[in-house]
Structure formats: structure tokens, C-alpha cells
Amino acid sequence: MSEQQRYSYENDCKPDENRNKGSSRWSQCRKRGADGSLRKAEEDLGRDQRCSRRPESFTTPESDGPVSRVKNWGDEVEAEEMRSDVRRDMHRYRRRILAVDVPQRDRKLSSGSSDSRDSRDSKDSPGKGDFETDETVLVRRQKQINYGKNTLAYDRYIKEVPKAMREQGVHPKTPNKFKKYSRRSWDQQIKLWRVKLHAWDPPAGDLQQIEEIDLGEIMDFELDVECSADPDSQCASANAASLSLTEDSLTGTPKKMMKMEDAEMS
Amino acid sequence: MEKMENLSKEDYKIQSFDLETQKLLKTALKDPGSVDLEKVSSVIVDQSLKDQIFSREAGRICYTIVQAEAKQSNGSVFRRNLLNRLQQEFKAREETRKRSTQEWVCLVSFICNIFDYLKVNNMPMMALVPPVYDCLFRLAQSDALKNEEEVDCLVLQLHRIGDQLEKMNAPLMDELFNLLRDGFLLQEDLSSMGRLLLLEILEFRAGGWTLSDTAQKYYYSEVTD
């Protein structure tokens, strides 16, 4: 992998081709006096500062537009991980659909992340190579999927109903992020999927139910989520709407808290 | 010159922590969901700034905790806290260096060790590449090169992660080595050990991040006269 050419940090330090022209900061610093003496202390300090001075924002091909320098490493690495997960999924998916000549109904492969078997969906199976490849879109969709999977309901669902036993229409099926859909269509599929998953929510009256705050719904679409008849889940969504938590405090917390309490209860 | 030790897989080098903290760390390794991961990351960073041995090996225990948390709850609380705390220390690096060279070299070792161990889908964390280079460039300045402690730290990091760093950004590595060449040739207040360390790393990289057999003999074998 060779990312090095694209890093704009290097642009700040202006290495290689400008070096000999003498116009870069680096070559100026390294220029020796006629007597070969060392550069003076101020120049050293200057160079040191130049090395650490960086633009306020920068763009790499991997980021979604300009990335503010203020971003913290924790967030940056999370974003990196999302992108690389999505890229990995894409490679697997591409291999899978290109390899399929005949739909295989009884394939037991669980290669993890593309979430549905296109080989079976004869009516909307993508033409070979014709699927969503825009990383921004894929990352956004994956985040929405993650919100749904990061719930007790999903956990209970997958324990209760193995993939092989799932019936189309009856059991919730994770939307396939690689299929081409409009934004509205995709958002709607996610909503419906989440609603269906609520059927596996832990029994009403649970403390955990109220703590299942889900900002995914706020972040990515309007607040007119159709809730199931379960009053507790409606309560949870309403609470989510009125809370102004940052995404950061949300990430991972519900799942972790739930798991701990789940462990305590069992 | 010291060769790098080969450590057993389970050796996280936590002997320098007090017993209660050792217990906390051991629990974090087995059951991360049951401990305060922010505290754990804080404790690890604090110690790595004080303890030279730990600063060079802390990446391993951090990696194990990250994996354990991901497996247990798909979370990344520990990693996030660790990185953000590390970022704070990085921002304050120049003050740290002024206050204590020891702490500064520990910080650099730790950042580089984290870069080495904490991979994202088996790839190095891109977010750490500029800060790591930043540290190495700082160590290659003339005021740092004259301190054997700093040169030692610099060459250690290059031995361990130089090839990875070069893959991430080759022109920057070229630039760094230009500084090292200049330092070796021109800087008069280098100690002879400092000069030796620089020469070795120059040969090491020139050989594709490995030493030829003859160079290995020259630098590392005991002299028996």
C-alpha cells in the first residue's frame, strides 16, 4: 500500500523535488555556510517550528472533505477503522457476486458483513459489478446498520433465530448497503428494519429499555419514526428526541451498559 | 550496543506497577467490560512516561485490551481514551522535553510502540503517522542529537518501525535521513557513541532496514582482543 504520496503533511515540509531549487524551507535550512559551518541556533529553532507547523485543516482522499486539525486521534482512528472495514466488505462483496454464476440457495458461508444474500434475490440482484461503491455513502449506511446491531434486541434476535431459519418478510433482514438505493429509500428500509427488530426488545418494564438511547435516529433522519405498539420503546424514542447527547457519549455505551446489566441479571 | 530483547508472549512488563494496579490491568485483559477503561488507559499512559522499559513494551498490553474489548462488546472505549490522552501528551511534548529528557524519550517510545502494535484491520493507524514523524524529526534536530539519550531513542524507533513509516510516507523518511546524514557529518558536539548510533542506522536503512552480516558483526559482536 502506498499512501505516502497523498499525505499533505509532506506538502507542508516540502521535501524531494523542491530541495535542489533552494526555495523550500528545508533546503534553506540545510544550506551550509561557505565554510561548512553548522546552521545557527535560530535557524534550527525555525526549522523545528516549520516542521511542527501544519495547516489548520487538510484533505486526504480518505476523508470526507476537509478534516479540521482540531479532531482528536480517537475519532480519527474510529473513522479510519470504519472506512477500512467498509473497503474490506466491498472487496469481499465484489468477489462474492462476481463469483456467483448460479444462485446457490443452500450456501452456508457467513462472510460477515454484506448482510444479505443477493444470489437469492433474483428480482433485484445487482448486475455484475453494478453496486454502491461510494465510500461516503457506504460508511454512512454502515453506521446506521451499526446503530441497529448495537442493541439488545438485535442480540436477542440473532440468538433466537439462526440465519438459516429466517423467513422472508417475517424476520427482519439487515438492508444490504451495497445495493443501489436512493437516500430516502435506504433510510426508510433502515427504519422499517429497526421497527421490526423491536419485536425482540427485552420484556417491558426493564430498566435497560429506557437506557437504550438511540441517536442514530436523530442523526440521520426525521423524528417521525413509527414505533411498534410497545409503549416502552415509544418512550425510549421520545426520550431520545428530547435529549441532546453528543454522538461521542453515545458510541458503544448502550451496548456496554446493557451487556453488563444483562450479565448481572443472568 | 544493546540488542533488543525477545520477550515472551505473555510478558507485559507490568512489574513496575503497584500490586493493585497490576490486578486492575490483569482484569482489564480478561474482562474489559468490568473495569473503568478510562482509568486503565490513564494508568498505562502515566506509567509509560515514567518507566523506560514499560514505555517500549506497553503497546502489547494495549493491543490485547483493545482486542478483548472489541470481542466482548464491539466497543472501542479503551482505544479512544488511550489515543486522546496520548494526543494531549503529544501536544505538550516540547514542555515535557524541557522538563525532563527521560520523560520525553519515554513519550516517544510509547507513541511509536502504540503505532507498532495498535493496527486497524492490520494496517498502521494513519492518524499517528504525522505525530510519529514529528517526534523523530524533533530528535533529529541538532540540540537533540548531541544527547546520547535522544539519539538512542531515535535509532531504537527507526529499528522497530522505520520500514512501516517509510511505507506510509517515503519522502518524509528521506528527509529525516538527510538530517541524520547532515548531523553525522557536520555536527561537532556529537558523542562518539552518538556518531556510532547514527552510522549504524544509516547503514541499516541503506540495507533495506536490515544489517548485512559484516555490518552486524562490526556493530554487535564483542571485541575480543
Side-chain angles (χ1 to χ4, degrees), chain B residues 40-52:
Chain B
V40 173
S41 67
S42 181
V43 144
I44 289 177
V45 175
D46 285 341
Q47 187 70 9
S48 65
L49 295 178
K50 289 186 265 180
D51 178 350
Q52 191 129 26

Side-chain angles (χ1 to χ4, degrees), chain A residues 147-148 151 190-198 214 217:
Chain A
Y147 290 133
T151 58
I190 287 282
K191 275 189 217 181
L192 295 172
W193 173 63
R194 299 294 310 274
V195 165
K196 272 190 167 172
L197 281 174
H198 277 304
D214 192 344
E217 323 236 19

Side-chain angles (χ1 to χ4, degrees), chain B residues 59-176:
Chain B
R60 194 175 313 198
I61 191 176
C62 290
Y63 177 71
T64 311
I65 298 176
V66 169
Q67 294 296 100
E69 191 194 343
K71 191 170 175 193
Q72 188 181 58
S73 66
N74 212 30
S76 57
V77 172
F78 175 73
R79 185 179 66 188
R80 200 179 328 123
N81 277 294
L82 177 73
L83 289 172
N84 290 342
R85 173 71 204 281
L86 195 57
Q87 185 177 18
Q88 281 173 32
E89 296 297 335
F90 172 74
K91 280 195 181 130
R93 63 200 180 281
E94 201 54 45
E95 295 142 51
T96 301
R97 181 175 181 275
K98 284 196 182 80
R99 183 179 63 238
S100 156
T101 310
Q102 247 260 57
E103 251 187 79
W104 156 242
V105 301
C106 280
L107 175 61
V108 177
S109 296
F110 184 56
I111 293 183
C112 293
N113 203 234
I114 293 293
F115 175 81
D116 198 6
Y117 276 91
L118 250 59
K119 299 283 204 303
V120 165
N121 285 324
N122 291 324
M123 295 292 308
M125 291 188 283
M126 286 195 300
L128 288 192
V129 173
V132 166
Y133 266 115
D134 208 293
C135 291
L136 300 184
F137 271 97
R138 183 62 185 89
L139 289 171
Q141 303 304 304
S142 55
D143 64 342
L145 288 180
K146 70 178 184 216
N147 296 331
E148 214 168 280
E149 216 180 333
E150 292 185 78
V151 182
D152 189 65
C153 176
L154 174 64
V155 303
L156 175 67
Q157 312 317 325
L158 287 171
H159 276 117
R160 289 176 153 198
I161 61 172
D163 56 343
Q164 294 179 58
L165 279 177
E166 190 178 51
K167 284 198 187 82
M168 305 294 286
N169 190 327
L172 266 185
M173 188 56 77
D174 287 341
E175 203 50 52
L176 179 66

Side-chain angles (χ1 to χ4, degrees), chain A residues 103-119:
Chain A
Q104 291 168 41
R105 298 197 146 269
D106 57 354
R107 198 157 23 145
K108 297 256 192 259
L109 280 175
S110 60
S111 51
S113 320
S114 58
D115 301 320
S116 72
R117 300 283 151 82
D118 295 286
S119 51

Side-chain angles (χ1 to χ4, degrees), chain A residues 122-247:
Chain A
S122 49
K123 61 178 190 260
D124 55 354
S125 136
K128 290 193 176 181
D130 181 23
F131 58 87
E132 185 61 67
T133 53
D134 184 333
E135 216 171 80
T136 321
V137 173
L138 290 172
V139 166
R140 179 177 12 97
R141 290 182 177 183
Q142 185 64 54
K143 276 189 195 160
Q144 290 169 290
I145 291 171
N146 289 347
Y147 290 133
K149 289 191 171 181
N150 198 28
T151 58
L152 271 186
Y154 185 77
D155 248 17
R156 295 173 90 230
Y157 168 55
I158 57 174
K159 282 193 183 105
E160 193 178 301
V161 186
K163 266 190 182 169
M165 308 238 300
R166 290 190 197 167
E167 290 170 61
Q168 198 182 30
V170 172
H171 292 122
K173 182 168 151 183
T174 310
N176 181 344
K177 66 179 178 276
F178 292 111
K179 290 213 193 123
K180 290 263 190 195
Y181 297 114
S182 68
R183 177 75 190 263
R184 265 166 51 102
S185 166
W186 171 264
D187 284 354
Q188 185 67 9
Q189 288 181 57
I190 287 282
K191 275 189 217 181
L192 295 172
W193 173 63
R194 299 294 310 274
V195 165
K196 272 190 167 172
L197 281 174
H198 277 304
W200 278 266
D201 282 342
D206 242 351
L207 190 66
Q208 297 160 19
Q209 191 58 32
I210 299 163
E211 284 163 343
E212 189 181 322
I213 300 158
D214 192 344
L215 275 185
E217 323 236 19
I218 297 179
M219 304 294 285
D220 296 313
F221 28 60
E222 299 135 39
L223 288 167
D224 54 61
V225 179
E226 286 168 29
C227 289
S228 61
D230 186 346
D232 278 356
S233 77
Q234 243 171 1
C235 182
S237 297
N239 283 342
S242 57
L243 286 163
S244 55
L245 292 169
T246 61
E247 187 180 358

Side-chain angles (χ1 to χ4, degrees), chain A residues 1-5 7 9-10 13 15-16 19 26 30 32 36 38-39 44 47-48 51-52 54 62 71-78 80-81 83-85 88 248 251 255-256 259-260, chain B residues 33 72-73 76-77 79-80 83-84 86-87 90 93-94 120-121 123-128 130-131 133-134 137-138 141-142 166-172 174-175 178-179 182 186-188:
Chain A
M1 183 203 78
S2 106
E3 306 276 349
Q4 64 269 19
Q5 301 307 327
Y7 240 86
Y9 175 82
E10 76 194 79
C13 289
D16 56 14
R19 203 189 301 150
W26 288 111
R30 292 186 300 111
R32 308 171 206 165
L38 286 173
R39 348 168 209 5
D44 277 347
R47 181 177 51 181
D48 184 36
C51 184
S52 10
R54 292 188 229 142
E62 293 80 17
K71 211 174 188 184
N72 57 50
W73 292 357
D75 288 343
E76 281 186 57
V77 170
E78 297 259 357
E80 259 181 65
E81 191 174 46
R83 287 192 300 267
S84 97
D85 281 350
R88 176 202 61 200
D248 203 48
T251 314
K255 178 89 164 175
K256 187 176 100 167
K259 282 245 178 221
M260 278 173 69
Chain B
Q72 188 181 58
S73 66
S76 57
V77 172
R79 185 179 66 188
R80 200 179 328 123
L83 289 172
N84 290 342
L86 195 57
Q87 185 177 18
F90 172 74
R93 63 200 180 281
E94 201 54 45
V120 165
N121 285 324
M123 295 292 308
M125 291 188 283
M126 286 195 300
L128 288 192
Y133 266 115
D134 208 293
F137 271 97
R138 183 62 185 89
Q141 303 304 304
S142 55
E166 190 178 51
K167 284 198 187 82
M168 305 294 286
N169 190 327
L172 266 185
D174 287 341
E175 203 50 52
N178 286 338
L179 286 182
D182 283 354
L186 304 172
Q187 194 164 335
E188 285 168 4

